Amino acid sequence: MILYDLIVVGGGPAGISAARGAAEKGARCLLVEPASHTRSVPARADEQSFVSMRFTDPSQEKVLLGPDFEALRFTDAKLAQLSPQRIGLADGVESLLPMEPSRFARVESLQAGGLGSAWGLGCYGFTKKELLAAGLHFLVDGEAIGAVAKNIGVTKPEGALAPYLSGLVTHFSAALPVDRNAEFLLSRYRSRAARGHTECIMGTPMLALGGSTDGDFSGYRPPSRLREMEFYDDDGGASWRPQMDLRILNTKERFERLQGHMVLRLRESDGRVEADCFDISTRESRTVAARKAVLCAGALGSARVAAASHPSHRTERFFRCQPYSYLVGLVPSLLGESDIKRRVHALCQFQFARLREGGQEAAFIGSGYSYRSLLNFRLLSSSPLGFRNAMNWWRCVAPALVIVGLHEPDDAEPQLRISFPCGGDHRVNASQFPAMKITSSEPLGCAVNASSASRFLRGLGWYPLLKRRLPPGSGTHYSGTLASGICASDNGILNGFEHVRVGDAAFFSRIPAKGLTLTIMAYARYAALASLENITR
């Protein structure tokens, strides 16, 4: 049996970041992932805009609905951001990762790149206070965060909100232009802020949309071409996706992938870690071994492996889930306008936040999208008008439509509990994990924040049409299932083990009102490098 230096469990952004850190150090690393192949999302050959394609392209249904009309399956709010080309990210989850019926709308993926393949590319740097509150004291020096920011390439945020969005990130690609909607609202904000008439601060976002020229992995991402189809394709490589790093990792001599396998259980013997794996296709089992292992299977996935690996992790415990809601509204002064010939990207256009005292934490962060985004396109399907009338109405309304996703922190008393009714036991050759059970004492989130966000936007000339709070789990940001001080030591070592480290958000004890992807990747990189410190070859 080959003895690797490090086994990385999971092939999402965390697992890829951990493997990348190990590969840069020359370690013999094995990445175990459930996907049997890398799913690619081809870019469109033309350069037409989202709106012009919507009105003129006779074959647009292949992009908007999918070759097999996959988009007609979009009835679940938790899948709202998945385009037809990416709907397969959820395949196999219900059968292989069962969960007892509950109100928790969990989102997981067994595909190559995990949920990172459908990431909206919004990057957030945690402030020092947010890192310490989450138990991530070893990231406050900024080294791991800076390395990841350079690796994936993040655009420079601008405006009053920029210092809070960037946190400890100091390396940026050039800022990107915004569309007419964002320009209008940002201009109104600056005017009101100059008079002291605003309760929030506002600016442009930080996105993983642009090339990086640093490090051993440089030169494989072009700059953004400012196309409008990023939710449907990957913009010719400008949008960072885990698969890009996988292609680079596959060229490294000491890096290997075990595809189509799920790690069911870990155990330690004679100073090494053995991982019992299950082949999803053949239903066969195999064991791999390494000096160290890092759990990067996601907050829920890592909890499953831990529960199956040690009795201490089979008890009921609390965990975190970021509340999420969205607001839909119009900027009436933009009704009927059009700037479809202008070159802009179609991801988040602006962000705003209400900061708490001291400016180190936020009560909420709102992210604004325009019609060019996939999110707003979905609203047409819910119109009570017939299709022909809806399209005429849409020509006028589309330029003025703005949707805002609202993230809130989960830093109060925990309300969600996770348990394994079967005790986490299962056979190595079983076809699935035991059922997970998630219960909630009450709905997550605060309606006051949605009202505050709506009031702020109304002051800028935006008028609300719809408010909707999604069920717990829909926001996909989970943490704390293997939290520091409860299931793992302060340095990330999983309780009951000496050579297994938690390497993803399962370790985070709190969630601020920010997306977690950048910080998860930074922590995964730290976990991998820390695991390799005492290895002698």
Side-chain angles (χ1 to χ4, degrees):
M1 181 186 300
I2 298 174
L3 183 64
Y4 296 92
D5 294 324
L6 184 70
I7 291 174
V8 177
V9 180
I16 298 301
S17 185
R20 180 167 177 166
E24 289 173 350
K25 293 296 182 181
R28 186 162 195 174
C29 175
L30 176 68
L31 177 68
V32 184
E33 57 175 330
S36 59
H37 64 280
T38 299
R39 182 184 176 90
S40 62
V41 182
R44 290 177 61 86
D46 58 75
E47 293 293 325
Q48 66 180 338
S49 70
F50 188 105
V51 178
S52 62
M53 182 205 69
R54 190 70 186 91
F55 292 131
T56 65
D57 189 342
S59 62
Q60 61 181 272
E61 74 278 359
K62 295 179 181 178
V63 176
L64 303 179
L65 298 179
D68 299 316
F69 298 97
E70 297 94 324
L72 299 181
R73 296 162 51 191
F74 295 154
T75 58
D76 195 331
K78 67 185 180 182
L79 298 178
Q81 296 190 69
L82 294 185
S83 66
Q85 294 84 348
R86 294 189 173 112
I87 192 64
L89 289 175
D91 289 350
V93 170
E94 295 298 329
S95 60
L96 289 168
L97 304 176
M99 189 177 78
E100 290 194 356
S102 73
R103 294 186 299 164
F104 187 79
R106 60 91 177 258
V107 181
E108 295 184 274
S109 176
L110 297 174
Q111 299 303 306
L115 295 177
S117 296
W119 180 23
L121 304 182
C123 291
Y124 301 81
F126 282 22
T127 65
K128 181 177 179 180
K129 185 174 182 179
E130 289 168 338
L131 289 172
L132 293 176
L136 303 174
H137 56 88
F138 24 68
L139 297 184
V140 297
D141 63 4
E143 182 178 349
I145 293 172
V148 170
K150 287 182 180 181
N151 288 345
I152 67 175
V154 296
T155 60
K156 186 176 183 179
E158 295 183 330
L161 188 58
Y164 177 68
L165 291 178
S166 58
L168 301 183
V169 177
T170 58
H171 183 278
F172 303 99
S173 300
L176 297 176
V178 298
D179 64 14
R180 182 74 178 89
N181 308 61
E183 275 186 349
F184 177 87
L185 295 172
L186 286 165
S187 175
R188 293 289 297 269
Y189 163 76
R190 287 190 290 267
S191 176
R192 290 177 62 85
R195 302 192 303 269
H197 297 162
T198 180
E199 62 183 284
C200 298
I201 60 175
M202 193 172 186
T204 59
M206 190 163 71
L207 301 169
L209 184 62
S212 172
T213 58
D214 295 275
D216 179 44
F217 289 72
S218 65
Y220 69 98
R221 284 185 60 215
S224 171
R225 300 200 310 273
L226 299 178
R227 298 170 65 251
E228 297 180 357
M229 299 298 294
E230 284 87 358
F231 268 119
Y232 287 88
D233 61 46
D234 292 333
D235 196 24
S239 306
W240 183 86
R241 298 297 174 196
Q243 292 89 331
M244 297 176 180
D245 282 4
L246 274 175
R247 288 195 290 269
I248 301 298
L249 282 167
N250 286 335
T251 67
K252 299 299 176 179
E253 184 177 352
R254 294 175 62 82
F255 171 78
E256 296 180 37
R257 294 169 67 190
L258 181 57
Q259 297 178 269
H261 283 73
M262 299 175 67
V263 172
L264 300 182
R265 180 168 57 225
L266 298 172
R267 59 179 182 272
E268 291 183 342
S269 175
D270 298 327
R272 68 181 190 177
V273 181
E274 294 182 350
D276 294 329
C277 305
F278 169 74
D279 188 317
I280 296 174
S281 299
T282 67
R283 298 296 193 258
E284 296 177 350
S285 61
R286 63 180 297 180
T287 299
V288 293
R291 294 179 173 89
K292 301 291 180 68
V294 178
L295 273 176
C296 296
L300 300 182
S302 292
R304 289 187 187 92
V305 176
S309 302
H310 198 276
S312 64
H313 299 291
R314 297 170 190 165
T315 58
E316 183 180 70
R317 55 188 175 276
F318 289 103
F319 77 105
R320 302 284 185 176
C321 173
Q322 188 179 77
Y324 185 75
S325 55
Y326 64 82
L327 315 173
V328 180
L330 289 171
V331 180
S333 60
L334 298 180
L335 285 169
E337 286 199 11
S338 175
D339 63 350
I340 61 176
K341 294 183 179 180
R342 184 177 178 185
R343 304 285 295 198
V344 293
H345 67 88
L347 300 172
C348 178
Q349 295 293 319
F350 66 87
Q351 292 182 306
F352 62 96
R354 180 158 62 83
L355 297 186
R356 294 169 174 169
E357 186 176 353
Q360 290 288 301
E361 295 179 297
F364 63 80
I365 288 184
S367 300
Y369 299 81
S370 299
Y371 168 67
R372 291 177 171 87
S373 80
L374 171 66
L375 298 178
N376 283 343
F377 169 71
R378 297 214 187 291
L379 296 177
L380 184 60
S381 63
S382 61
S383 170
L385 306 174
F387 181 78
R388 184 185 299 274
N389 291 330
M391 287 301 297
N392 292 331
W393 170 79
W394 200 250
R395 285 183 173 89
C396 176
V397 172
L401 194 63
V402 175
I403 188 169
V404 172
L406 202 65
H407 289 284
E408 301 172 56
D410 186 358
D411 56 5
E413 288 297 317
Q415 301 171 11
L416 290 165
R417 295 185 299 276
I418 184 173
S419 61
F420 297 88
C422 297
D425 291 317
H426 55 77
R427 301 182 305 277
V428 173
N429 62 351
S431 61
Q432 62 184 28
F433 280 91
M436 174 185 288
K437 184 176 182 180
I438 295 176
T439 56
S440 175
S441 57
E442 57 185 276
L444 299 178
C446 178
V448 174
N449 287 333
S451 298
S452 177
S454 182
R455 183 171 60 249
F456 168 74
L457 291 171
R458 287 196 63 157
L460 304 182
W462 173 95
Y463 290 88
L465 299 176
L466 172 69
K467 296 181 185 179
R468 185 175 180 187
R469 178 167 298 281
L470 299 185
S474 301
T476 74
H477 297 156
Y478 318 140
S479 79
T481 53
L482 299 173
S484 169
I486 301 174
C487 298
S489 65
D490 289 342
N491 63 357
I493 300 295
L494 185 65
N495 287 353
F497 293 85
E498 295 182 8
H499 307 296
V500 177
R501 195 180 296 263
V502 183
D504 55 28
F507 180 79
F508 299 10
S509 54
R510 291 174 66 183
I511 306 181
K514 291 180 173 179
L516 303 182
T517 306
L518 178 63
T519 307
I520 289 173
M521 294 177 69
Y523 174 60
R525 179 184 177 88
Y526 159 81
L529 296 182
S531 297
L532 295 171
E533 282 181 355
N534 299 320
I535 290 181
T536 57
R537 300 185 186 90

